Amino acid sequence: MDIKREDLLQLYYYLKLTRRLEDRVTSLYHQGKILGGAWTSNGTEAVSVGYGYALEKNDIAAPYFRDMGAFLVRGISAKRIMAQYLGKKTGVTGGKEGNVHIGDLNFGVFAFPSHLADNYPVGTGAALAFKMRGEKRVVAACTGDGGTSRGDFHEGMNFAAVRKLPIVFICNNNQYAYTTPLRLQMAIKDVAERALAYGIPSKIVDGNNIVEVYTAAKEAYEIARNGGGPTFIECKTMRMHGHSEHDSAKYVPKELLEEWKKKDPISNMEKYLLENTIDGKDELEGIDSRVKKEIEEAEAFAEESPYPTPEDGLKGVYATPGEEM
Amino acid sequence: MKEVTYLEAIKEAMDEEMSRDPSVFVLGEDVGVYGGAFRATEGFYEKYGEWRVLDTPLSESGFTGAAIGAALVGMRPIVEMQFADFISCAFDQLVNVAAKNHYRWGAATPIVVRAPYGGNIHGGAYHSQCIEGFFFNVPGLKIVAPSTAYDAKGLLKAAIRDNDPVIYCEHKYLYRRIKDSIPEEDYIVPIGKARIALEGKDISIITYGAMVHTALEAAQALNEYGVSCEIVDLRTILPLDKKSIFTTVKKTNKVLVLHEQTKTGGVGAEVSALISEYCFDHLDGPIIRVAAPDTPVPYSAQMEEAFIPQPKNVISAVEKLMRY
């Protein structure tokens, strides 16, 4: 698949934006400014940027918690996301939710519950609606390797397969579910085998190669959009931090991290761009300084934003509140 | 006016809403070709087609989650749990996704989950449960439980049009046993409003679902002994109609709460707590709960009859309370 130069540069921009935003979040966490935990997609950014960027404007993304790139490429601003981390009223959820629990229907993004793979059936339902209404829209739903052991993963995929719905299931296989390695999660080598049980064609891609992720997603979306039903894409990658910032990930062998460090998705993309797309590093540096500025502005916006009031916490339980509520 | 059964009322509500609004559809196990285990969707498949009356895989969490996703993009799904008991498999989707979507990120989730519940049909532990208590403690959900054919239709229409997730508890025992005259024209029964099923002055019986009929039977017998019972049919369990509850307490000063659900931590516990918190000075005696004992629903007729509150249990509880 030929990818346009401007798309390649946008992919690079979003990779950098995701990395810099989450690196900044990590620093803020260690400064005690982030409430609760801080989960990042460090080292696996190519997955969410890639599948997110391949979607069309009217499609739906149902990401999971290591999919910061998907939120950004769908158009949810770094400002609102930073404010979300700081629990501010200007955050995506107005302080009702924290960190990566982000969703906004204006940008076609479903918020995810912490119960992994719940978004597989939910995404399937949106795809069902598109098929019922004859709309040429698709859904991308993503979960981690651990999430593929839950019933909802299987129930969602089975329903989508039976009804041949326009949804693409993505797995960010980053080798560890919190501390549990893949070998204790499943007795098979590739997560993709799980999809075959439902008659869903699957594809295994290098999750650290954004061109591969983007291309596989784009092709799968086109199949789904044209009535060909779901595809499962396993993106093999490696979580380069602990489960969240409080976790030192001592249980991960050092050699494994060293090996994957060499395959960093951003360095990968820089190399690709220099070999195929651009003439010199200047253009990349230009993108990077744009990203830096955007993150600085986002942080300043978040810091200056007001906190919600205790009373705000009592609002919004119901879309149609009755008299008594 | 026309005469319909409770089940026909449910069927009519769905049929009329599906005709009126193309975003309304039904999904669940065996709801399509077969027309549902209780025939609530009989003929729908022929009328609306396989994409609006969807037979699903046997997978409650999967199809409830799918209903939520469809609702997020503008549909109004009606999920049929074949038996309310199976709703436990969809607990996570209802409690963690549907109920919290609006609060967490402002996304409305207009789904209705029809839950055929309750005993007296010799269904045993997995085909007889009252499930409202499982969800009563979940902000973001609404729970309704009609006792008449009139309310069955009006509340289901209101639930379908509502923008929040509504668990619609339809009592299986009432399906073909009760009839009502209902208007030919469109009407709804608003969510959140109780009704007075019987006016009285001596004691209030607060109840819902099939137990409304048990209360009416008891009240008739008690009337012969000169005790005038007021029966409040809650209709909506979550959120409770506090105003109606407090009004009847202030009128009669004596309260009995009646439900088929087991006693501990049930709806009756909350109603009693509300009354003692806000109407203590109006009480002339303790609030008494008549409810099922804290056991699973037994199968054998002798045990099941003892499990489900009967008019005689209500009568003796009222007699006890009248002595205060």
Side-chain angles (χ1 to χ4, degrees):
Chain A
M1 184 194 279
D2 259 355
I3 308 176
K4 279 189 282 184
R5 181 191 150 89
E6 69 176 275
D7 285 328
L8 286 166
L9 291 176
Q10 278 295 88
L11 286 172
Y12 179 72
Y13 159 75
Y14 281 115
L15 277 177
K16 287 297 271 189
L17 187 65
T18 305
R19 173 75 55 94
R20 282 207 177 274
L21 188 146
E22 291 190 324
D23 280 353
R24 194 59 205 142
V25 164
T26 301
S27 303
L28 291 172
Y29 172 82
H30 290 294
Q31 292 170 26
K33 287 188 177 170
I34 307 274
L35 305 166
W39 295 260
T40 70
S41 61
N42 194 286
T44 75
E45 296 93 337
V47 177
S48 63
V49 173
Y51 86 73
Y53 193 74
L55 289 166
E56 302 288 333
K57 191 169 178 289
N58 287 325
D59 296 338
I60 290 283
Y64 92 127
F65 73 101
R66 276 190 222 287
D67 282 349
M68 179 53 69
F71 301 125
L72 290 166
V73 298
R74 295 299 291 169
I76 298 177
S77 71
K79 282 184 179 173
R80 291 175 72 211
I81 292 171
M82 219 33 132
Q84 163 99 352
Y85 274 105
L86 298 187
K88 296 297 180 81
K89 197 166 177 152
T90 53
V92 189
T93 63
K96 291 273 183 56
E97 264 289 13
N99 51 69
V100 278
H101 284 281
I102 290 165
D104 189 338
L105 287 176
N106 295 317
F107 296 93
V109 178
F110 287 176
F112 78 94
S114 292
H115 306 61
L116 291 189
D118 274 9
N119 58 339
Y120 267 45
V122 175
T124 294
L128 173 67
F130 297 158
K131 182 154 181 169
M132 288 164 80
R133 300 193 298 231
E135 295 170 6
K136 284 211 155 193
R137 297 163 72 185
V138 303
V139 180
C142 184
T143 197
D145 40 295
T148 71
S149 294
R150 278 203 66 238
D152 273 16
F153 170 86
H154 302 272
E155 295 191 25
M157 290 223 294
N158 185 48
F159 193 14
V162 167
R163 293 278 172 174
K164 228 176 174 184
L165 301 177
I167 179 165
V168 174
F169 296 108
I170 292 147
C171 175
N172 177 329
N173 177 359
N174 61 31
Q175 323 270 347
Y176 282 83
Y178 205 150
T179 68
T180 306
L182 204 60
R183 68 183 165 79
L184 296 178
Q185 195 69 242
M186 57 192 78
I188 50 176
K189 186 170 149 276
D190 300 313
V191 179
E193 282 184 52
R194 294 189 154 178
L196 299 180
Y198 302 105
I200 296 181
S202 61
K203 197 160 193 178
I204 298 173
V205 301
D206 175 357
N208 283 18
N209 182 332
I210 195 159
V211 173
E212 250 192 60
V213 176
Y214 171 83
T215 306
K218 195 92 187 160
E219 285 169 2
Y221 298 154
E222 282 325 293
I223 293 168
R225 212 181 294 284
N226 293 304
T231 303
F232 182 81
I233 302 174
E234 177 183 355
C235 305
K236 286 197 191 288
T237 180
M238 180 69 205
R239 195 187 74 199
M240 300 302 284
H241 280 205
H243 170 63
S244 81
E245 281 313 307
H246 71 273
D247 167 19
S248 62
K250 276 185 189 152
Y251 47 87
V252 180
K254 275 207 177 71
E255 313 79 68
L256 192 61
L257 290 172
E258 286 304 319
E259 181 198 324
W260 280 91
K261 208 171 170 183
K262 292 176 206 146
K263 300 191 270 193
D264 178 74
I266 296 185
S267 315
N268 254 353
M269 186 58 169
E270 282 170 358
K271 195 162 161 262
Y272 178 92
L273 291 172
L274 286 165
E275 279 170 11
N276 300 286
T277 317
I278 56 174
D279 295 330
K281 278 202 159 182
D282 291 1
E283 202 159 357
L284 296 183
E285 280 159 13
I287 290 172
D288 197 31
S289 44
R290 183 152 64 96
V291 166
K292 259 191 210 162
K293 195 164 166 261
E294 198 174 332
I295 298 302
E296 280 165 14
E297 285 170 2
E299 191 180 332
F301 170 83
E303 292 274 13
E304 287 157 18
S305 290
Y307 284 104
T309 64
E311 292 72 32
D312 288 333
L314 299 174
K315 295 172 192 159
V317 174
Y318 293 98
T320 318
E323 282 169 33
E324 294 285 327
M325 285 179 253
Chain B
M1 300 294 274
K2 60 181 170 186
E3 186 126 298
V4 296
T5 64
Y6 186 89
L7 181 62
E8 284 162 351
I10 290 167
K11 194 175 166 183
E12 273 195 13
M14 286 192 286
D15 194 7
E16 288 175 18
E17 291 304 293
M18 285 177 77
S19 295
R20 187 185 61 80
D21 180 353
S23 67
V24 180
F25 71 100
V26 188
L27 73 169
E29 291 149 6
D30 311 302
V31 298
V33 178
Y34 186 60
F38 294 102
R39 329 301 299 181
T41 53
E42 196 167 29
F44 282 31
Y45 186 84
E46 292 75 14
K47 187 171 176 184
Y48 298 104
E50 64 166 333
W51 288 98
R52 287 186 71 197
V53 191
L54 289 109
D55 279 323
T56 62
L58 200 161
S59 125
E60 287 80 8
S61 190
F63 62 73
T64 303
I68 294 167
L72 288 174
V73 295
M75 303 301 284
R76 291 187 173 272
I78 304 167
V79 177
E80 179 178 303
M81 289 292 156
Q82 192 157 76
F83 283 80
D85 309 67
F86 304 141
I87 204 169
S88 55
C89 297
F91 187 83
D92 175 43
Q93 287 287 352
L94 290 169
V95 169
N96 288 312
V97 189
K100 294 176 177 52
N101 273 342
H102 195 264
Y103 184 78
R104 291 172 66 228
W105 59 293
T109 309
I111 63 166
V112 178
V113 180
R114 285 183 37 238
Y117 80 113
N120 230 356
I121 57 147
H122 315 303
Y126 302 120
H127 291 76
S128 308
Q129 291 177 84
C130 293
I131 51 90
E132 63 276 22
F134 305 155
F135 298 98
F136 190 49
N137 195 229
V138 182
L141 295 178
K142 292 175 180 173
I143 306 172
V144 299
S147 70
T148 65
Y150 180 92
D151 287 349
K153 184 170 179 183
L155 273 173
L156 185 49
K157 283 187 160 230
I160 292 167
R161 294 176 197 181
D162 199 272
N163 288 325
D164 292 303
V166 181
I167 297 178
Y168 179 89
C169 298
E170 50 191 66
H171 204 294
K172 301 190 290 286
Y173 184 74
L174 301 179
Y175 274 155
R176 295 175 177 86
R177 283 186 177 86
I178 59 165
K179 276 188 172 181
D180 262 337
S181 284
I182 63 167
E184 297 279 350
E185 61 274 13
D186 182 56
Y187 71 93
I188 64 152
V189 170
I191 292 174
K193 297 260 183 272
R195 75 179 177 107
I196 304 296
L198 182 70
E199 293 256 11
K201 58 180 177 46
D202 298 329
I203 181 168
S204 300
I205 302 176
I206 301 173
T207 186
Y208 57 91
M211 287 295 113
V212 171
H213 302 280
T214 305
L216 284 165
E217 213 179 310
Q220 203 176 3
L222 286 159
N223 197 38
E224 286 166 25
Y225 297 103
V227 180
S228 156
C229 299
E230 175 146 300
I231 299 174
V232 178
D233 176 0
L234 291 170
R235 301 200 288 195
T236 294
I237 293 166
L238 189 65
L240 283 169
D241 180 355
K242 296 187 186 104
K243 208 188 279 174
S244 295
I245 293 171
F246 299 159
T247 304
T248 192
V249 174
K250 288 171 186 171
K251 180 178 174 188
T252 67
N253 315 113
K254 285 188 163 64
V255 186
L256 185 150
V257 191
L258 167 67
H259 57 60
E260 185 184 324
Q261 186 201 1
T262 52
K263 194 172 192 177
T264 301
V267 173
E270 177 61 24
V271 171
S272 307
L274 277 170
I275 295 168
S276 63
E277 193 172 350
Y278 296 104
C279 300
F280 188 74
D281 294 341
H282 295 274
L283 287 174
D284 277 351
I287 302 159
I288 293 186
R289 284 174 295 162
V290 175
D294 293 325
T295 69
V297 187
Y299 168 69
S300 206
Q302 293 74 10
M303 289 193 286
E304 191 184 17
E305 199 190 315
F307 174 88
I308 294 171
Q310 304 293 333
K312 63 180 179 193
N313 307 117
V314 177
I315 292 165
S316 61
V318 168
E319 283 170 346
K320 188 177 157 194
L321 194 47
M322 288 312 291
R323 284 197 289 270
Y324 275 89

